[in-house]
Amino acid sequence: MSGLNPQQREAVQHVETPLLVLAGAGSGKTRVITEKIAWMIGQGHFRANQIAAITFTNKAAKEMRARIGKRLKRKAAEGLTISTFHSLGWQILKAEPEAADRARGISILDQHASADLVRELLPGQVKNEQLYMTMSAIGALKDAGIEPGRALADATSEGEGQVATIYQAYQQRLQELNAVDFDDLIALPAKMLDHPELRTRWRARLRYFLVDEVQDTSAAQYRLLRRLAGESGAFTAVGDDDQSIYGWRGARPENLDQLSVDYPRLKVVKLEQNYRSVGNILNAANAVIAQNPHTHEKRLWSEHGPGDLIAVRDYVDESDEAEGVARDLTAAHGGTTMRWGQAAILYRSNFQARELEKALREYNIPYRVSGGPSWFDAREIRDGLAYLKLMFNPEDNPSFIRVLNTPRRGVGSGSLARLLDFARASKQSLLAAADDGPFQRELPERAARGLRGFINLLVEFSDRAERAEREELGSLFRELLEHVGYYEFLDEQADNPDQARRRKRSLDDLVGWVERLSKDCSSADELIARITLAAGPDDERENADEVRLMTLHAAKGLEFPRVWLVGLEEGLMPHRNSVDEGRIEEERRLMYVGLTRAERQLTISFCRSRRQFGESRKCEPSRFLDELPRELLDWPGKDGRKQVDAGAARDNIAALKALLEG
């Protein structure tokens, strides 16, 4: 444990009572978790297979596995659980499906499949807004642990009654498909663990928990932790109330305070030494977040020295701002040793990336936009994953439905509806129902022939997958896609040859990703779980030498030597909706997250006018700028220096050039 500061060492060695580690930004929380796992195993407190480290992202889990791999010998770490909440919930569901009214071979519906199912249940023509509001309401009910029957009984309006009715039908359909959605991965295990026998079994299996980012836990995740950790509270919870920025998706920062209520013996350790940023950046962040109320006060500090002043720049409009950032990046890259990959541009809303991308292209600056449309949203990826799941589990009902007629096999919507009804009535999987001889004789010959061919295909490749070595699974998956003619199907469906080529390359990326993952997985079950719950192969570009463009929400957990924080205007940061809804404290936490992403240098900018929704409007600087101590800022116009009007300067240069050329 050499190199740990006194507070980190105290957190590592405390196991007698429940522990909350208040870990400020850049304070080494991942190292504390890693060292604590190694210390508990080394001291004989717990075996590796009795410990579970729970993170919020697959990337964080991957990083923790890598650190543990370096810290412990493979045998010592054997059986250690390092996963997300959703992955842990999936383990419980998969091991105990009967307790959730499911059968073996349970499937996970992705967000698209869930949306399609809800859309079918909503009456009339469904607008996207209505669909997403209904899905959000159902998710909130699941997070609160409210069953469909209770939701119906508690409904006090027509709208609530309709949502409860859809919720009931949706859960019934999931049960018929032997499937769960992402919300169920937490809500169902939390409910299942109400059963004393099952709870005792899992507490005996996992005896100590380390939970990262506890401020981001939802109500259901907190319930799941309490069920598993027991009354004694065998856990270390690590979090930072100043970085709770996901209230809009169910995170409850109040769970931090609830811990001391539910566990009176809770010990609190604060990690305030920052190993990331220079002093001026930390002092600015401390000043901003001090405006929020706190149950536990903390103040970050660093041994890195004060560093440069924080640059604050104002621009004419978003085009001027984007060009100013591009010029700064070019100067930093050419005049220093800064690599492109050491820089990030952060913003509040995705639409801000458009002008920035234009400017970066004009200046030939390599970049990558993070947090945009998901790779998994593409139709070819969703189809490919359905075939992959069926290769390992032909009774995966949602995947069966998705690709039964893709490419076309003559099984129309009428035949599919009859198959669904027959499977429901006979309480069989779709594969088993489709293989029923009398049922097939009732279908049109073309549909029956298509069903038989599909079933034979699935059985053949499933048998081969069972016998295949791990390193052969990727090539077998490619063979399956080629066998069904999916690449030719992409040619037929594309609007032009370029689109077909792009989709084929995307599919090849999927196959390559499966090939790489299969070498790291011990079983087909683990491979499917990793793929279903993963973020995609885009993470493999993490070390590419490109400037990163991302929203402030997407930037959490990352750090960069140089950061440009753009668009600091009222109505944008803080966002107008958040101000109207009284969520200014969360917006301030978002500002704090943005400030603390910077290690060495930080530039903040705002515009005097910005075009939005087709109209240009005047802008006021963000209130958060007024919360920054003036002595920490390099802000022309505010510190007595004259502000250079970049737009006017460009006009003057252009006029001079024209005069000389004339």
Side-chain angles (χ1 to χ4, degrees), residues 310-315 320-336 338-340 343-345 356 359-360 363 365 547 562-566 601-605 634 643 646:
I310 297 168
V312 180
R313 301 290 181 260
D314 69 277
Y315 293 99
D320 189 28
E321 179 183 52
E323 187 169 339
V325 172
R327 283 197 309 271
D328 285 353
L329 279 163
T330 301
H333 184 261
T336 68
M338 185 196 84
R339 293 184 295 105
W340 296 122
I345 307 172
L356 292 163
L360 294 181
Y363 279 76
I365 297 173
V547 175
R562 297 200 62 164
V563 168
W564 278 259
L565 181 51
V566 302
Q601 290 178 294
L602 173 63
T603 299
I604 300 173
S605 62
D634 166 18
Q643 168 74 41

mmCIF file of all heavy atoms in Angstrom, residues 310-315 320-336 338-340 343-345 356 359-360 363 365 547 562-566 601-605 634 643 646:
data_model
loop_
_atom_site.group_PDB
_atom_site.id
_atom_site.type_symbol
_atom_site.label_atom_id
_atom_site.label_comp_id
_atom_site.label_asym_id
_atom_site.label_seq_id
_atom_site.Cartn_x
_atom_site.Cartn_y
_atom_site.Cartn_z
ATOM 1 N N ILE A 310 -6.977 30.674 -15.514
ATOM 2 C CA ILE A 310 -8.021 30.124 -16.390
ATOM 3 C C ILE A 310 -8.396 31.195 -17.411
ATOM 4 O O ILE A 310 -8.763 32.318 -17.040
ATOM 5 C CB ILE A 310 -9.257 29.714 -15.573
ATOM 6 C CG1 ILE A 310 -8.897 28.589 -14.597
ATOM 7 C CG2 ILE A 310 -10.400 29.281 -16.493
ATOM 8 C CD1 ILE A 310 -9.959 28.319 -13.556
ATOM 9 N N ALA A 311 -8.279 30.848 -18.684
ATOM 10 C CA ALA A 311 -8.596 31.811 -19.743
ATOM 11 C C ALA A 311 -10.108 31.878 -19.944
ATOM 12 O O ALA A 311 -10.769 30.841 -20.039
ATOM 13 C CB ALA A 311 -7.917 31.403 -21.048
ATOM 14 N N VAL A 312 -10.658 33.088 -19.991
ATOM 15 C CA VAL A 312 -12.079 33.300 -20.297
ATOM 16 C C VAL A 312 -12.146 34.182 -21.548
ATOM 17 O O VAL A 312 -11.555 35.261 -21.584
ATOM 18 C CB VAL A 312 -12.825 33.986 -19.137
ATOM 19 C CG1 VAL A 312 -14.300 34.183 -19.503
ATOM 20 C CG2 VAL A 312 -12.706 33.151 -17.861
ATOM 21 N N ARG A 313 -12.823 33.713 -22.574
ATOM 22 C CA ARG A 313 -12.900 34.437 -23.837
ATOM 23 C C ARG A 313 -14.357 34.582 -24.265
ATOM 24 O O ARG A 313 -15.152 33.645 -24.111
ATOM 25 C CB ARG A 313 -12.126 33.684 -24.930
ATOM 26 C CG ARG A 313 -10.660 33.464 -24.610
ATOM 27 C CD ARG A 313 -9.880 34.770 -24.647
ATOM 28 N NE ARG A 313 -8.454 34.577 -24.361
ATOM 29 C CZ ARG A 313 -7.897 34.810 -23.185
ATOM 30 N NH1 ARG A 313 -8.646 35.244 -22.164
ATOM 31 N NH2 ARG A 313 -6.602 34.628 -22.994
ATOM 32 N N ASP A 314 -14.689 35.761 -24.787
ATOM 33 C CA ASP A 314 -16.029 35.925 -25.337
ATOM 34 C C ASP A 314 -15.924 36.145 -26.842
ATOM 35 O O ASP A 314 -14.950 36.725 -27.339
ATOM 36 C CB ASP A 314 -16.791 37.054 -24.647
ATOM 37 C CG ASP A 314 -16.238 38.425 -24.965
ATOM 38 O OD1 ASP A 314 -15.248 38.825 -24.310
ATOM 39 O OD2 ASP A 314 -16.808 39.084 -25.836
ATOM 40 N N TYR A 315 -16.919 35.635 -27.563
ATOM 41 C CA TYR A 315 -16.915 35.657 -29.022
ATOM 42 C C TYR A 315 -18.208 36.266 -29.547
ATOM 43 O O TYR A 315 -19.218 36.346 -28.836
ATOM 44 C CB TYR A 315 -16.746 34.234 -29.558
ATOM 45 C CG TYR A 315 -15.386 33.634 -29.258
ATOM 46 C CD1 TYR A 315 -15.214 32.763 -28.173
ATOM 47 C CD2 TYR A 315 -14.284 33.944 -30.037
ATOM 48 C CE1 TYR A 315 -13.973 32.212 -27.894
ATOM 49 C CE2 TYR A 315 -13.022 33.402 -29.765
ATOM 50 C CZ TYR A 315 -12.878 32.534 -28.694
ATOM 51 O OH TYR A 315 -11.650 32.005 -28.421
ATOM 52 N N ASP A 320 -17.655 32.199 -34.631
ATOM 53 C CA ASP A 320 -16.467 32.882 -34.129
ATOM 54 C C ASP A 320 -15.836 32.074 -32.994
ATOM 55 O O ASP A 320 -14.607 31.908 -32.921
ATOM 56 C CB ASP A 320 -16.880 34.279 -33.648
ATOM 57 C CG ASP A 320 -15.683 35.164 -33.300
ATOM 58 O OD1 ASP A 320 -14.604 34.947 -33.886
ATOM 59 O OD2 ASP A 320 -15.837 36.063 -32.459
ATOM 60 N N GLU A 321 -16.678 31.549 -32.129
ATOM 61 C CA GLU A 321 -16.195 30.737 -31.010
ATOM 62 C C GLU A 321 -15.496 29.479 -31.518
ATOM 63 O O GLU A 321 -14.392 29.137 -31.064
ATOM 64 C CB GLU A 321 -17.364 30.354 -30.099
ATOM 65 C CG GLU A 321 -16.971 29.487 -28.911
ATOM 66 C CD GLU A 321 -18.174 29.081 -28.072
ATOM 67 O OE1 GLU A 321 -19.163 28.553 -28.656
ATOM 68 O OE2 GLU A 321 -18.134 29.295 -26.849
ATOM 69 N N ALA A 322 -16.125 28.778 -32.476
ATOM 70 C CA ALA A 322 -15.550 27.541 -33.012
ATOM 71 C C ALA A 322 -14.201 27.803 -33.673
ATOM 72 O O ALA A 322 -13.240 27.045 -33.482
ATOM 73 C CB ALA A 322 -16.522 26.908 -34.009
ATOM 74 N N GLU A 323 -14.110 28.909 -34.434
ATOM 75 C CA GLU A 323 -12.847 29.227 -35.090
ATOM 76 C C GLU A 323 -11.791 29.612 -34.059
ATOM 77 O O GLU A 323 -10.618 29.262 -34.198
ATOM 78 C CB GLU A 323 -13.028 30.355 -36.107
ATOM 79 C CG GLU A 323 -11.765 30.595 -36.918
ATOM 80 C CD GLU A 323 -11.991 31.521 -38.095
ATOM 81 O OE1 GLU A 323 -13.137 31.679 -38.527
ATOM 82 O OE2 GLU A 323 -10.986 32.091 -38.557
ATOM 83 N N GLY A 324 -12.207 30.329 -33.007
ATOM 84 C CA GLY A 324 -11.271 30.693 -31.953
ATOM 85 C C GLY A 324 -10.693 29.465 -31.263
ATOM 86 O O GLY A 324 -9.484 29.396 -30.995
ATOM 87 N N VAL A 325 -11.531 28.475 -30.991
ATOM 88 C CA VAL A 325 -11.063 27.240 -30.358
ATOM 89 C C VAL A 325 -10.118 26.498 -31.300
ATOM 90 O O VAL A 325 -9.062 25.994 -30.882
ATOM 91 C CB VAL A 325 -12.260 26.346 -29.967
ATOM 92 C CG1 VAL A 325 -11.772 24.975 -29.495
ATOM 93 C CG2 VAL A 325 -13.087 27.006 -28.868
ATOM 94 N N ALA A 326 -10.475 26.444 -32.598
ATOM 95 C CA ALA A 326 -9.623 25.760 -33.575
ATOM 96 C C ALA A 326 -8.256 26.441 -33.682
ATOM 97 O O ALA A 326 -7.214 25.774 -33.775
ATOM 98 C CB ALA A 326 -10.316 25.728 -34.936
ATOM 99 N N ARG A 327 -8.244 27.774 -33.648
ATOM 100 C CA ARG A 327 -6.966 28.506 -33.688
ATOM 101 C C ARG A 327 -6.131 28.191 -32.445
ATOM 102 O O ARG A 327 -4.914 27.963 -32.535
ATOM 103 C CB ARG A 327 -7.214 30.018 -33.757
ATOM 104 C CG ARG A 327 -7.616 30.541 -35.120
ATOM 105 C CD ARG A 327 -7.430 32.068 -35.185
ATOM 106 N NE ARG A 327 -8.063 32.758 -34.067
ATOM 107 C CZ ARG A 327 -9.323 33.191 -34.061
ATOM 108 N NH1 ARG A 327 -10.092 32.973 -35.114
ATOM 109 N NH2 ARG A 327 -9.816 33.820 -33.008
ATOM 110 N N ASP A 328 -6.787 28.195 -31.291
ATOM 111 C CA ASP A 328 -6.077 27.880 -30.042
ATOM 112 C C ASP A 328 -5.474 26.476 -30.090
ATOM 113 O O ASP A 328 -4.334 26.255 -29.670
ATOM 114 C CB ASP A 328 -7.033 27.968 -28.848
ATOM 115 C CG ASP A 328 -7.360 29.410 -28.473
ATOM 116 O OD1 ASP A 328 -6.749 30.328 -29.048
ATOM 117 O OD2 ASP A 328 -8.241 29.598 -27.605
ATOM 118 N N LEU A 329 -6.255 25.520 -30.573
ATOM 119 C CA LEU A 329 -5.779 24.141 -30.664
ATOM 120 C C LEU A 329 -4.574 24.044 -31.585
ATOM 121 O O LEU A 329 -3.579 23.369 -31.270
ATOM 122 C CB LEU A 329 -6.902 23.229 -31.177
ATOM 123 C CG LEU A 329 -7.939 22.775 -30.150
ATOM 124 C CD1 LEU A 329 -9.192 22.252 -30.845
ATOM 125 C CD2 LEU A 329 -7.356 21.686 -29.250
ATOM 126 N N THR A 330 -4.666 24.714 -32.744
ATOM 127 C CA THR A 330 -3.565 24.678 -33.707
ATOM 128 C C THR A 330 -2.301 25.270 -33.095
ATOM 129 O O THR A 330 -1.201 24.723 -33.233
ATOM 130 C CB THR A 330 -3.946 25.453 -34.977
ATOM 131 O OG1 THR A 330 -5.120 24.865 -35.549
ATOM 132 C CG2 THR A 330 -2.823 25.402 -36.004
ATOM 133 N N ALA A 331 -2.451 26.394 -32.383
ATOM 134 C CA ALA A 331 -1.301 27.038 -31.749
ATOM 135 C C ALA A 331 -0.704 26.147 -30.660
ATOM 136 O O ALA A 331 0.522 26.014 -30.545
ATOM 137 C CB ALA A 331 -1.719 28.384 -31.162
ATOM 138 N N ALA A 332 -1.574 25.523 -29.846
ATOM 139 C CA ALA A 332 -1.094 24.658 -28.763
ATOM 140 C C ALA A 332 -0.377 23.433 -29.320
ATOM 141 O O ALA A 332 0.651 22.997 -28.794
ATOM 142 C CB ALA A 332 -2.259 24.228 -27.879
ATOM 143 N N HIS A 333 -0.901 22.883 -30.406
ATOM 144 C CA HIS A 333 -0.305 21.690 -31.003
ATOM 145 C C HIS A 333 1.022 22.023 -31.675
ATOM 146 O O HIS A 333 1.981 21.252 -31.608
ATOM 147 C CB HIS A 333 -1.273 21.086 -32.022
ATOM 148 C CG HIS A 333 -0.789 19.806 -32.624
ATOM 149 N ND1 HIS A 333 -0.185 19.754 -33.863
ATOM 150 C CD2 HIS A 333 -0.809 18.527 -32.163
ATOM 151 C CE1 HIS A 333 0.136 18.504 -34.139
ATOM 152 N NE2 HIS A 333 -0.231 17.735 -33.122
ATOM 153 N N GLY A 334 1.084 23.188 -32.318
ATOM 154 C CA GLY A 334 2.302 23.556 -33.032
ATOM 155 C C GLY A 334 3.364 24.152 -32.147
ATOM 156 O O GLY A 334 4.568 23.990 -32.396
ATOM 157 N N GLY A 335 2.963 24.829 -31.100
ATOM 158 C CA GLY A 335 3.924 25.543 -30.272
ATOM 159 C C GLY A 335 4.339 24.809 -29.024
ATOM 160 O O GLY A 335 5.227 25.257 -28.299
ATOM 161 N N THR A 336 3.688 23.699 -28.708
ATOM 162 C CA THR A 336 4.037 22.923 -27.511
ATOM 163 C C THR A 336 4.112 21.450 -27.893
ATOM 164 O O THR A 336 4.021 21.089 -29.056
ATOM 165 C CB THR A 336 2.965 23.089 -26.405
ATOM 166 O OG1 THR A 336 1.748 22.444 -26.843
ATOM 167 C CG2 THR A 336 2.675 24.553 -26.137
ATOM 168 N N MET A 338 1.879 19.350 -27.011
ATOM 169 C CA MET A 338 0.531 18.801 -26.862
ATOM 170 C C MET A 338 0.143 17.946 -28.063
ATOM 171 O O MET A 338 0.203 18.398 -29.208
ATOM 172 C CB MET A 338 -0.504 19.924 -26.701
ATOM 173 C CG MET A 338 -1.912 19.407 -26.409
ATOM 174 S SD MET A 338 -3.207 20.651 -26.665
ATOM 175 C CE MET A 338 -3.481 20.479 -28.443
ATOM 176 N N ARG A 339 -0.246 16.708 -27.798
ATOM 177 C CA ARG A 339 -0.832 15.868 -28.839
ATOM 178 C C ARG A 339 -2.309 16.206 -28.962
ATOM 179 O O ARG A 339 -2.931 16.680 -28.017
ATOM 180 C CB ARG A 339 -0.663 14.383 -28.495
ATOM 181 C CG ARG A 339 0.783 13.901 -28.502
ATOM 182 C CD ARG A 339 0.866 12.398 -28.257
ATOM 183 N NE ARG A 339 0.404 12.034 -26.913
ATOM 184 C CZ ARG A 339 -0.767 11.456 -26.642
ATOM 185 N NH1 ARG A 339 -1.635 11.204 -27.603
ATOM 186 N NH2 ARG A 339 -1.087 11.160 -25.392
ATOM 187 N N TRP A 340 -2.898 15.928 -30.125
ATOM 188 C CA TRP A 340 -4.336 16.197 -30.300
ATOM 189 C C TRP A 340 -5.152 15.443 -29.248
ATOM 190 O O TRP A 340 -6.132 15.959 -28.718
ATOM 191 C CB TRP A 340 -4.796 15.784 -31.690
ATOM 192 C CG TRP A 340 -4.181 16.537 -32.834
ATOM 193 C CD1 TRP A 340 -3.470 16.021 -33.875
ATOM 194 C CD2 TRP A 340 -4.245 17.953 -33.078
ATOM 195 N NE1 TRP A 340 -3.071 17.012 -34.738
ATOM 196 C CE2 TRP A 340 -3.545 18.206 -34.277
ATOM 197 C CE3 TRP A 340 -4.808 19.031 -32.392
ATOM 198 C CZ2 TRP A 340 -3.402 19.490 -34.813
ATOM 199 C CZ3 TRP A 340 -4.668 20.312 -32.915
ATOM 200 C CH2 TRP A 340 -3.975 20.532 -34.106
ATOM 201 N N ALA A 343 -6.337 16.895 -25.744
ATOM 202 C CA ALA A 343 -7.254 18.037 -25.677
ATOM 203 C C ALA A 343 -8.699 17.585 -25.807
ATOM 204 O O ALA A 343 -9.004 16.609 -26.499
ATOM 205 C CB ALA A 343 -6.925 19.038 -26.786
ATOM 206 N N ALA A 344 -9.586 18.319 -25.142
ATOM 207 C CA ALA A 344 -11.019 18.031 -25.221
ATOM 208 C C ALA A 344 -11.797 19.334 -25.284
ATOM 209 O O ALA A 344 -11.405 20.335 -24.671
ATOM 210 C CB ALA A 344 -11.476 17.212 -24.020
ATOM 211 N N ILE A 345 -12.897 19.305 -26.046
ATOM 212 C CA ILE A 345 -13.840 20.423 -26.099
ATOM 213 C C ILE A 345 -15.146 19.925 -25.490
ATOM 214 O O ILE A 345 -15.720 18.944 -25.971
ATOM 215 C CB ILE A 345 -14.079 20.901 -27.540
ATOM 216 C CG1 ILE A 345 -12.749 21.195 -28.245
ATOM 217 C CG2 ILE A 345 -14.967 22.143 -27.541
ATOM 218 C CD1 ILE A 345 -12.905 21.492 -29.732
ATOM 219 N N LEU A 356 -18.375 23.499 -34.254
ATOM 220 C CA LEU A 356 -17.036 23.090 -33.855
ATOM 221 C C LEU A 356 -16.447 22.113 -34.868
ATOM 222 O O LEU A 356 -15.273 22.231 -35.247
ATOM 223 C CB LEU A 356 -17.082 22.452 -32.463
ATOM 224 C CG LEU A 356 -17.421 23.402 -31.307
ATOM 225 C CD1 LEU A 356 -17.855 22.617 -30.079
ATOM 226 C CD2 LEU A 356 -16.226 24.302 -30.970
ATOM 227 N N ALA A 359 -15.251 23.953 -38.029
ATOM 228 C CA ALA A 359 -13.992 24.670 -37.824
ATOM 229 C C ALA A 359 -12.813 23.701 -37.737
ATOM 230 O O ALA A 359 -11.745 23.957 -38.312
ATOM 231 C CB ALA A 359 -14.081 25.514 -36.556
ATOM 232 N N LEU A 360 -12.981 22.594 -37.045
ATOM 233 C CA LEU A 360 -11.884 21.638 -36.906
ATOM 234 C C LEU A 360 -11.512 21.038 -38.260
ATOM 235 O O LEU A 360 -10.330 20.801 -38.544
ATOM 236 C CB LEU A 360 -12.260 20.533 -35.915
ATOM 237 C CG LEU A 360 -12.461 20.979 -34.453
ATOM 238 C CD1 LEU A 360 -12.810 19.794 -33.569
ATOM 239 C CD2 LEU A 360 -11.231 21.688 -33.913
ATOM 240 N N TYR A 363 -9.448 23.516 -40.230
ATOM 241 C CA TYR A 363 -8.076 23.626 -39.722
ATOM 242 C C TYR A 363 -7.340 22.283 -39.763
ATOM 243 O O TYR A 363 -6.236 22.166 -39.236
ATOM 244 C CB TYR A 363 -8.093 24.175 -38.296
ATOM 245 C CG TYR A 363 -8.237 25.681 -38.225
ATOM 246 C CD1 TYR A 363 -9.464 26.292 -38.460
ATOM 247 C CD2 TYR A 363 -7.145 26.498 -37.930
ATOM 248 C CE1 TYR A 363 -9.612 27.673 -38.397
ATOM 249 C CE2 TYR A 363 -7.269 27.879 -37.858
ATOM 250 C CZ TYR A 363 -8.510 28.463 -38.104
ATOM 251 O OH TYR A 363 -8.644 29.834 -38.045
ATOM 252 N N ILE A 365 -7.819 19.518 -38.184
ATOM 253 C CA ILE A 365 -7.571 18.975 -36.847
ATOM 254 C C ILE A 365 -8.339 17.660 -36.707
ATOM 255 O O ILE A 365 -9.560 17.634 -36.857
ATOM 256 C CB ILE A 365 -8.024 19.969 -35.759
ATOM 257 C CG1 ILE A 365 -7.200 21.264 -35.850
ATOM 258 C CG2 ILE A 365 -7.895 19.350 -34.373
ATOM 259 C CD1 ILE A 365 -7.694 22.364 -34.926
ATOM 260 N N VAL A 547 -8.658 15.076 -31.070
ATOM 261 C CA VAL A 547 -9.332 15.947 -30.104
ATOM 262 C C VAL A 547 -10.700 15.353 -29.804
ATOM 263 O O VAL A 547 -11.417 14.928 -30.710
ATOM 264 C CB VAL A 547 -9.479 17.375 -30.668
ATOM 265 C CG1 VAL A 547 -10.294 18.252 -29.721
ATOM 266 C CG2 VAL A 547 -8.114 17.986 -30.932
ATOM 267 N N ARG A 562 -5.532 19.535 -21.469
ATOM 268 C CA ARG A 562 -6.087 20.832 -21.865
ATOM 269 C C ARG A 562 -7.566 20.684 -22.203
ATOM 270 O O ARG A 562 -7.960 19.764 -22.935
ATOM 271 C CB ARG A 562 -5.337 21.401 -23.065
ATOM 272 C CG ARG A 562 -3.877 21.690 -22.769
ATOM 273 C CD ARG A 562 -3.275 22.664 -23.764
ATOM 274 N NE ARG A 562 -3.936 23.961 -23.736
ATOM 275 C CZ ARG A 562 -3.418 25.062 -24.278
ATOM 276 N NH1 ARG A 562 -2.244 25.017 -24.882
ATOM 277 N NH2 ARG A 562 -4.067 26.204 -24.226
ATOM 278 N N VAL A 563 -8.363 21.590 -21.682
ATOM 279 C CA VAL A 563 -9.818 21.531 -21.886
ATOM 280 C C VAL A 563 -10.323 22.895 -22.338
ATOM 281 O O VAL A 563 -9.921 23.931 -21.798
ATOM 282 C CB VAL A 563 -10.542 21.096 -20.587
ATOM 283 C CG1 VAL A 563 -12.051 21.317 -20.700
ATOM 284 C CG2 VAL A 563 -10.244 19.630 -20.276
ATOM 285 N N TRP A 564 -11.207 22.869 -23.328
ATOM 286 C CA TRP A 564 -11.962 24.052 -23.742
ATOM 287 C C TRP A 564 -13.421 23.819 -23.354
ATOM 288 O O TRP A 564 -14.043 22.862 -23.830
ATOM 289 C CB TRP A 564 -11.860 24.266 -25.258
ATOM 290 C CG TRP A 564 -10.605 24.957 -25.684
ATOM 291 C CD1 TRP A 564 -10.457 26.265 -26.011
ATOM 292 C CD2 TRP A 564 -9.308 24.364 -25.837
ATOM 293 N NE1 TRP A 564 -9.147 26.532 -26.352
ATOM 294 C CE2 TRP A 564 -8.424 25.385 -26.249
ATOM 295 C CE3 TRP A 564 -8.792 23.075 -25.650
ATOM 296 C CZ2 TRP A 564 -7.072 25.159 -26.492
ATOM 297 C CZ3 TRP A 564 -7.446 22.850 -25.891
ATOM 298 C CH2 TRP A 564 -6.595 23.887 -26.304
ATOM 299 N N LEU A 565 -13.937 24.638 -22.474
ATOM 300 C CA LEU A 565 -15.319 24.544 -22.003
ATOM 301 C C LEU A 565 -16.095 25.678 -22.667
ATOM 302 O O LEU A 565 -15.913 26.849 -22.329
ATOM 303 C CB LEU A 565 -15.342 24.657 -20.479
ATOM 304 C CG LEU A 565 -16.677 24.574 -19.746
ATOM 305 C CD1 LEU A 565 -17.469 23.352 -20.163
ATOM 306 C CD2 LEU A 565 -16.443 24.560 -18.238
ATOM 307 N N VAL A 566 -16.942 25.320 -23.643
ATOM 308 C CA VAL A 566 -17.551 26.346 -24.501
ATOM 309 C C VAL A 566 -19.036 26.540 -24.176
ATOM 310 O O VAL A 566 -19.676 25.692 -23.550
ATOM 311 C CB VAL A 566 -17.390 25.965 -25.996
ATOM 312 C CG1 VAL A 566 -15.916 25.796 -26.353
ATOM 313 C CG2 VAL A 566 -18.156 24.690 -26.339
ATOM 314 N N GLN A 601 -4.419 23.097 -18.140
ATOM 315 C CA GLN A 601 -4.873 24.361 -18.701
ATOM 316 C C GLN A 601 -6.356 24.283 -19.056
ATOM 317 O O GLN A 601 -6.837 23.259 -19.552
ATOM 318 C CB GLN A 601 -4.052 24.720 -19.941
ATOM 319 C CG GLN A 601 -2.609 25.104 -19.609
ATOM 320 C CD GLN A 601 -1.801 25.414 -20.847
ATOM 321 O OE1 GLN A 601 -1.541 24.542 -21.664
ATOM 322 N NE2 GLN A 601 -1.394 26.668 -21.003
ATOM 323 N N LEU A 602 -7.059 25.381 -18.807
ATOM 324 C CA LEU A 602 -8.498 25.429 -19.032
ATOM 325 C C LEU A 602 -8.861 26.756 -19.691
ATOM 326 O O LEU A 602 -8.420 27.822 -19.257
ATOM 327 C CB LEU A 602 -9.230 25.296 -17.687
ATOM 328 C CG LEU A 602 -10.751 25.487 -17.688
ATOM 329 C CD1 LEU A 602 -11.444 24.415 -18.531
ATOM 330 C CD2 LEU A 602 -11.286 25.462 -16.259
ATOM 331 N N THR A 603 -9.655 26.677 -20.759
ATOM 332 C CA THR A 603 -10.193 27.866 -21.415
ATOM 333 C C THR A 603 -11.711 27.774 -21.394
ATOM 334 O O THR A 603 -12.283 26.735 -21.757
ATOM 335 C CB THR A 603 -9.714 27.970 -22.877
ATOM 336 O OG1 THR A 603 -8.288 28.068 -22.901
ATOM 337 C CG2 THR A 603 -10.310 29.196 -23.559
ATOM 338 N N ILE A 604 -12.361 28.841 -20.950
ATOM 339 C CA ILE A 604 -13.821 28.916 -20.909
ATOM 340 C C ILE A 604 -14.263 29.998 -21.890
ATOM 341 O O ILE A 604 -13.634 31.051 -21.988
ATOM 342 C CB ILE A 604 -14.315 29.265 -19.488
ATOM 343 C CG1 ILE A 604 -13.872 28.195 -18.491
ATOM 344 C CG2 ILE A 604 -15.831 29.413 -19.459
ATOM 345 C CD1 ILE A 604 -14.163 28.553 -17.042
ATOM 346 N N SER A 605 -15.333 29.734 -22.639
ATOM 347 C CA SER A 605 -15.788 30.748 -23.608
ATOM 348 C C SER A 605 -17.297 30.865 -23.613
ATOM 349 O O SER A 605 -18.021 29.949 -23.219
ATOM 350 C CB SER A 605 -15.284 30.406 -25.014
ATOM 351 O OG SER A 605 -15.799 29.170 -25.464
ATOM 352 N N ASP A 634 -7.856 34.846 -16.460
ATOM 353 C CA ASP A 634 -7.288 35.698 -17.504
ATOM 354 C C ASP A 634 -8.464 36.048 -18.414
ATOM 355 O O ASP A 634 -8.808 35.300 -19.320
ATOM 356 C CB ASP A 634 -6.197 34.932 -18.256
ATOM 357 C CG ASP A 634 -5.801 35.605 -19.565
ATOM 358 O OD1 ASP A 634 -6.102 36.798 -19.735
ATOM 359 O OD2 ASP A 634 -5.215 34.918 -20.433
ATOM 360 N N GLN A 643 -10.346 43.837 -24.759
ATOM 361 C CA GLN A 643 -10.809 42.630 -25.429
ATOM 362 C C GLN A 643 -10.583 42.771 -26.929
ATOM 363 O O GLN A 643 -10.994 43.747 -27.540
ATOM 364 C CB GLN A 643 -12.309 42.403 -25.166
ATOM 365 C CG GLN A 643 -12.969 41.352 -26.044
ATOM 366 C CD GLN A 643 -12.557 39.948 -25.634
ATOM 367 O OE1 GLN A 643 -12.462 39.650 -24.454
ATOM 368 N NE2 GLN A 643 -12.292 39.106 -26.592
ATOM 369 N N ALA A 646 -12.234 39.359 -32.337
ATOM 370 C CA ALA A 646 -11.683 38.482 -33.374
ATOM 371 C C ALA A 646 -12.376 38.672 -34.713
ATOM 372 O O ALA A 646 -11.756 38.644 -35.771
ATOM 373 C CB ALA A 646 -11.791 37.016 -32.925
#
